[in-house]
Amino acid sequence: MHIHVLGICGTFMGGLAALAREAGHRVTGCDANVYPPMSDQLEALGIELTEGFGAEQLALKPDLFVIGNVVTRGEKFPLMEAILDAGLAYTSGPQWLSDHVLPGRHVLAVAGTHGKTSTTSMLAWILEHAGLQPGFLVGGVPQNFGVSARLGSGSSFVIEADEYDTAFFDKRSKFVHYRPRTAVLNNLEFDHADIFADLAAIETQFHHLVRTVPASGRIVVNAREEALQRVLSRGCWSELQRFGARKEEPGALRARGEPQAFDVLRGSLKVARVEWALYGEHNQLNALAAIAAAEHVGVTPEQSAAALAEFKNVRRRMELRGEVNGIKVYDDFAHHPTAIRTTVGGLRRRIAPIAPLERILAIFEPRSNTMKLGAMKAQLPWALEEADLSFCNQQGLEWDAKDALAPLGAQAVVGADVDALVAAVLKAAKPGDHLLCMSNGGFGGIHAKLLAALAAR
């Protein structure tokens, strides 16, 4: 059939488009503000893109419109209004997956406020390394695979399970559509202030996910997260595998050692050792979650550890974009204050043993709906305290970044837009610095602009 995807350049919808193309469908799509890596992936697949959401796209006459959650009612999306007026067939991305890709598969779904993309990528790679040839859909591009999605020929399908709502006509969380047999609950904090009133509202959605896991299924849960314990206290009908316990706990998986080289313990028994290229306690916890989930489909912890030794992480996760005159420029997807703090802290611990005097310049844009609304602006000084200097993009914000970052004093600089930010960073940067750019969007191409400006000065 011919499907036309509205909002095709988001990581989720772009992955869905790739799956549909692989399944033999004709796929077209439209979006605004296209940027890599998803635009590159779609182009490589030969998927025809239309800029914008004009009603003239009805002339394509697809069999089905698949609607991304970027689409709303009203004048911004005339194509959607035309679809409704004409009474044409449409569905959401998660529902399309549920109907056409996931039936008959052992679905392994990875949920959580942070680390979904990395953990999903780890889990997919572990299953691939073990010869299970899984299908997967990841909200990023895992470097071990080079694509964000594939159908796979095996019985398992690994999916990043987002709690954000499904579409303007379906306000349930995306993950309730996936009906996993293995569900990872990685962590849980307040986020998505545009659709959730408070943390309790998100906990309710997570419990809806728990309700869909069969009794023969497995729920892999972070033992450190009080919010997740509250979720499970509402009822749990599946096998429970806890991970990340800080002290010995019967049956639970925990780590002993530094994040880049650690033993995996079940209770007091060592079951594997992970030595890999990733840093940070958050990645150590992600690894434990992936190991526990993979075990549910028959992959031993030792096999998982061997796979993780070859894991290359995801694009836009502390990705080095270039180096000029001893100044490194990184790209990272961090946008929630906790993720920003974790990312800055991870880089600090990576460079401290070898170059303790080198500086971190944190350059970020509060781009998510939650951050644009200012719901977590008070947490930003805490998130950035391990950076030597911080640079914030004011553009598009409904609150004053200078006021929010005032506790950082002269260590914080606010720019009116990306070009102003580049100029400020250029003035401060010196050899040995690490320029850490953080955004869940394209950030106005700041990485290339910085590298070009540094080379020209």
Side-chain angles (χ1 to χ4, degrees):
M1 64 193 303
H2 174 196
I3 68 171
H4 189 62
V5 182
L6 281 68
I8 194 171
C9 290
T11 51
F12 172 78
M13 297 302 284
L16 178 149
L19 293 174
R21 185 83 169 81
E22 186 182 352
H25 302 294
R26 180 189 172 201
V27 183
T28 55
C30 63
D31 213 327
N33 302 318
V34 174
Y35 56 84
M38 193 50 63
S39 59
D40 295 340
Q41 177 173 302
L42 294 170
E43 183 178 314
L45 291 170
I47 293 174
E48 181 184 335
L49 300 180
T50 301
E51 178 75 22
F53 297 90
E56 72 279 357
Q57 293 174 58
L58 285 190
L60 291 168
K61 296 183 178 179
D63 300 294
L64 181 68
F65 292 93
V66 181
I67 314 300
N69 67 2
V70 69
V71 177
T72 59
R73 292 297 308 274
E75 62 184 21
K76 281 183 65 179
F77 298 94
L79 176 55
M80 191 68 239
E81 295 301 312
I83 291 167
L84 294 171
D85 284 339
L88 299 175
Y90 67 89
T91 189
S92 70
Q95 188 64 54
W96 188 88
L97 282 174
S98 178
D99 293 341
H100 297 279
V101 175
L102 301 182
R105 309 292 290 267
H106 181 127
V107 178
L108 301 95
V110 179
T113 309
H114 313 293
K116 290 187 295 293
T117 302
S118 294
T119 307
T120 307
S121 302
M122 288 177 199
L123 180 53
W125 174 243
I126 287 170
L127 302 193
E128 174 75 3
H129 192 271
L132 300 185
Q133 300 179 311
F136 58 83
L137 175 53
V138 184
V141 180
Q143 295 186 61
N144 289 92
F145 295 102
V147 294
S148 68
R150 76 171 192 198
L151 290 175
S153 58
S155 61
S156 56
F157 194 95
V158 185
I159 188 165
E160 181 171 333
D162 187 5
E163 72 272 24
Y164 206 80
D165 61 7
T166 297
F168 73 84
F169 50 86
D170 183 350
K171 307 315 285 183
R172 294 173 295 170
S173 289
K174 289 178 184 173
F175 55 37
V176 301
H177 295 273
Y178 302 152
R179 302 184 181 181
R181 189 161 292 276
T182 309
V184 174
L185 309 183
N186 226 9
N187 42 62
L188 184 51
E189 285 191 73
F190 181 62
D191 199 2
H192 309 308
D194 52 323
I195 60 170
F196 293 120
D198 49 33
L199 180 57
I202 307 177
E203 290 176 8
T204 296
Q205 292 299 321
F206 269 69
H207 195 248
H208 291 337
L209 174 62
V210 169
R211 287 174 180 271
T212 67
V213 181
S216 58
R218 171 180 290 189
I219 295 175
V220 177
V221 63
N222 187 338
R224 302 183 185 184
E225 292 281 329
E226 290 185 12
L228 292 178
Q229 310 318 314
R230 289 195 296 270
V231 168
L232 295 175
S233 71
R234 298 186 182 192
C236 179
W237 301 268
S238 312
E239 173 192 309
L240 201 60
Q241 173 63 65
R242 287 161 59 86
F243 72 92
R246 295 186 184 278
K247 57 184 180 180
E248 184 177 325
E249 178 182 314
L253 291 183
R254 64 188 178 96
R256 179 177 61 195
E258 294 300 313
Q260 66 272 22
F262 59 93
D263 294 332
V264 179
L265 307 179
R266 174 172 280 116
S268 60
L269 178 67
K270 176 182 172 181
V271 294
R273 180 167 177 80
V274 174
E275 296 183 6
W276 61 342
L278 273 64
Y279 287 75
E281 189 178 20
H282 61 296
N283 280 318
Q284 188 180 58
L285 289 169
N286 293 341
L288 291 176
I291 290 168
E295 198 173 28
H296 195 223
V297 290
V299 181
T300 67
E302 294 95 331
Q303 289 175 298
S304 292
L308 292 173
E310 299 177 23
F311 181 65
K312 298 177 184 176
N313 213 343
V314 187
R315 286 189 62 185
R316 304 204 64 205
R317 300 308 187 274
M318 197 66 75
E319 181 181 359
L320 180 63
R321 293 288 295 271
E323 181 175 351
V324 177
N325 299 324
I327 300 173
K328 294 182 173 70
V329 177
Y330 303 88
D331 182 13
D332 197 273
F333 196 73
H335 52 280
H336 185 284
T338 300
I340 292 172
R341 181 180 175 89
T342 299
T343 301
V344 175
L347 181 56
R348 174 67 67 199
R349 275 169 277 289
R350 181 193 297 186
I351 65 177
I354 53 175
L357 299 181
E358 291 185 351
R359 302 188 307 169
I360 296 174
L361 278 60
I363 306 157
F364 69 101
E365 61 170 354
R367 182 183 174 276
S368 70
N369 290 329
T370 301
M371 295 305 294
K372 281 182 179 178
L373 292 169
M376 297 184 179
K377 61 183 180 181
Q379 295 182 36
L380 283 173
W382 165 80
L384 295 160
E385 64 182 5
E386 285 201 70
D388 295 280
L389 294 171
S390 298
F391 300 81
C392 178
N393 186 13
Q394 177 67 53
Q395 193 172 17
L397 300 185
E398 300 176 13
W399 43 277
D400 190 338
K402 287 183 179 178
D403 285 347
L405 297 172
L408 295 176
Q411 287 180 285
V413 177
V414 176
D417 54 29
V418 169
D419 289 338
L421 219 56
V422 168
V425 173
L426 200 64
K427 188 176 179 181
K430 61 185 182 181
D433 283 350
H434 299 259
L435 310 188
L436 176 55
C437 303
M438 294 174 284
S439 170
N440 67 341
F443 208 159
I446 194 169
H447 321 89
K449 289 180 178 181
L450 283 169
L451 289 167
L454 288 168
R457 75 175 185 176

